[in-house]
Amino acid sequence: MGDPAPIPPKVADSLALALVAASDAPILLLDGALTVIVASASFSRAFQIDPAVTAGRSLFALGAGEWDVPQLRSLLSVTLARAAHVMPYEMDLKRPDQPPRRLLITAHMLDYADTANVRVMLAVSDVTDIRLAERLKDDLLREKAVLYQELQHRIANSLQIIASVLMQSARRVASAETRVHLQDAHSRVMSVAALQQQLAASRLGEVELRDYFTELCDSIGASMIQDRDKLFLRVEADNGVATADASVSLGLIVTELVINALKHAFPNGAGGNIIVGFESQSSDWTLSITDDGVGMPKGPEPVKVGLGSSIVEALAKQLRAKVTITAANPGTCVSVRHDASLDREGDLATIDGRL
């Protein structure tokens, strides 16, 4: 079958006139000289132009001449020349004694068989309220970002104040046991401060764990390691990432296990190494804290489970991970492992050991 027969110009004009007349959107039908052939009733209402004087007038003479905009002339010239695909154009319509309106203009040549009868369909959309809503949204987002930064600053200051008060209290108390508890609390607060600082800088949903653990361990080492030439804390991690929520739990686990190793693995000022490791493959991952210190206490008596043990146990349960403690010969290795194949209720191990 061949191409369909072209629609006669008079029939095409009649169809275009009927389309414009029936349209609920502001539409103009223009000729090749950009004179208005017909305007939809919605166009006349929207822009307060008497429909009786619209037909036969140049587009640029409508109203008080507010449509005579150089950019609109250029848009229609390109449309008439068929020189390029014309994208919708936004312009401000400025009328006397009225606020400006933001308009989206779309122009299309109608494909008539008779090239002497050029027709252009001009559609107008008022996007003033939409653009205003977008600006308000952007302003709110910027304000939210400023408030968020202020909140993070206040949280960081508050944590620093709490840590300072705890350290001052630890220096004043006479009880050695109380002093140890206050120092532990100080270390935990400082570590939480490091967590908060790192996560505040990672607001895009995913946290790169190698950098995250490195900064966290730097903070812990700065507050707890007295001789950095004897005792070394380092991170060996792959390129794994985690959501912000998961990274909080991982960071707290690292904090508890590293603090525990610093307190128990190297008594009497002994030196050694603590390595924070992280390996991931697909949804499986293993977090490990390994030291080459004195190792687990030996003897028939079970080791008392402390606060750190309870914290790590609860965090591991949140991550649906299994915790194991093994001898590193020398030292101890605590591993927190998530295996997707074992991700079911009841597969979580209870932590025991020296925490």
Side-chain angles (χ1 to χ4, degrees):
M1 295 179 63
D3 294 334
I7 301 175
K10 289 185 178 180
V11 176
D13 253 356
S14 298
L15 291 173
L17 290 170
L19 174 64
V20 173
S23 174
D24 292 329
I27 295 178
L28 295 176
L29 181 64
L30 310 174
D31 64 15
L34 301 180
T35 298
V36 178
I37 298 174
V38 64
S40 67
S42 57
F43 180 89
S44 300
R45 288 195 304 270
F47 303 107
Q48 301 175 355
I49 298 175
D50 185 358
V53 299
T54 301
R57 297 189 67 184
S58 169
L59 166 66
F60 307 116
L62 295 180
E66 60 266 19
W67 295 89
D68 191 3
V69 178
Q71 291 86 347
L72 182 57
R73 283 184 177 270
S74 299
L75 170 71
L76 294 173
S77 297
V78 173
T79 304
L80 288 169
R82 301 177 185 264
H85 175 68
V86 180
M87 300 296 293
Y89 166 71
E90 287 195 23
M91 59 169 275
D92 289 324
L93 184 70
K94 299 177 181 178
R95 293 173 289 178
D97 303 324
Q98 294 191 47
R101 304 298 295 178
R102 189 71 173 176
L103 305 182
L104 183 67
I105 309 292
T106 306
H108 295 284
M109 282 277 290
L110 299 185
D111 192 9
Y112 280 21
D114 184 0
T115 56
N117 292 305
V118 175
R119 298 293 183 264
V120 177
M121 189 77 76
L122 187 74
V124 184
S125 300
D126 189 333
V127 295
T128 306
D129 294 337
I130 294 174
R131 296 296 179 262
L132 177 60
E134 290 173 349
R135 286 197 297 272
L136 289 174
K137 179 182 177 182
D138 290 342
D139 290 343
L140 288 173
L141 289 174
R142 283 192 292 270
E143 182 180 356
K144 180 180 178 181
V146 171
L147 291 174
Y148 177 83
Q149 291 296 330
E150 178 63 20
L151 175 63
Q152 297 303 320
H153 179 69
R154 289 175 181 265
I155 291 173
N157 285 347
S158 298
L159 290 171
Q160 292 289 342
I161 291 171
I162 294 170
S164 297
V165 170
L166 288 170
M167 184 54 68
Q168 290 174 8
S169 300
R171 291 180 181 135
R172 289 198 301 265
V173 296
S175 169
E177 182 180 359
T178 302
R179 185 180 306 110
V180 169
H181 289 315
L182 288 172
Q183 289 172 344
D184 285 350
H186 171 265
S187 298
R188 286 192 172 100
V189 170
M190 291 300 294
S191 299
V192 170
L195 283 169
Q196 181 269 337
Q197 181 180 14
Q198 181 74 2
L199 292 176
S202 304
R203 303 193 303 273
L204 301 179
E206 287 190 340
V207 177
E208 295 183 357
L209 294 176
R210 181 166 52 200
D211 293 341
Y212 174 54
F213 291 153
T214 299
E215 290 205 17
L216 178 59
C217 289
D218 286 344
S219 175
I220 297 172
S223 62
M224 294 194 65
I225 298 177
Q226 301 298 322
D227 190 345
R228 304 296 289 270
D229 293 327
K230 291 176 60 179
L231 192 54
F232 303 93
L233 173 59
R234 70 178 187 272
V235 173
E236 295 180 357
D238 60 17
N239 295 323
V241 297
T243 64
D245 288 342
S247 65
V248 170
S249 296
L250 290 169
L252 291 172
I253 289 174
V254 169
T255 297
E256 290 299 327
L257 294 176
V258 169
I259 289 176
N260 181 72
L262 289 171
K263 287 172 55 180
H264 299 288
F266 308 100
N268 303 318
N273 298 274
I274 301 173
I275 300 173
V276 175
F278 186 84
E279 297 179 353
S280 59
Q281 184 175 6
S282 186
S283 58
D284 298 339
W285 53 263
T286 301
L287 171 67
S288 62
I289 289 79
T290 306
D291 67 69
D292 56 2
V294 296
M296 298 291 295
K298 295 179 174 60
E301 293 296 325
V303 179
K304 183 180 179 181
V305 176
L307 175 62
S309 174
S310 301
I311 292 173
V312 174
E313 182 177 356
L315 293 169
K317 187 173 183 179
Q318 287 180 359
L319 295 170
R320 304 204 54 74
K322 181 178 181 179
V323 181
T324 57
I325 302 176
T326 57
N329 299 315
T332 305
C333 177
V334 182
S335 297
V336 182
R337 180 170 179 260
H338 177 271
D339 187 336
S341 65
L342 300 176
D343 193 8
R344 302 186 303 272
E345 283 292 341
D347 290 327
L348 303 176
T350 299
I351 300 173
D352 58 7
R354 63 184 182 186
L355 294 184

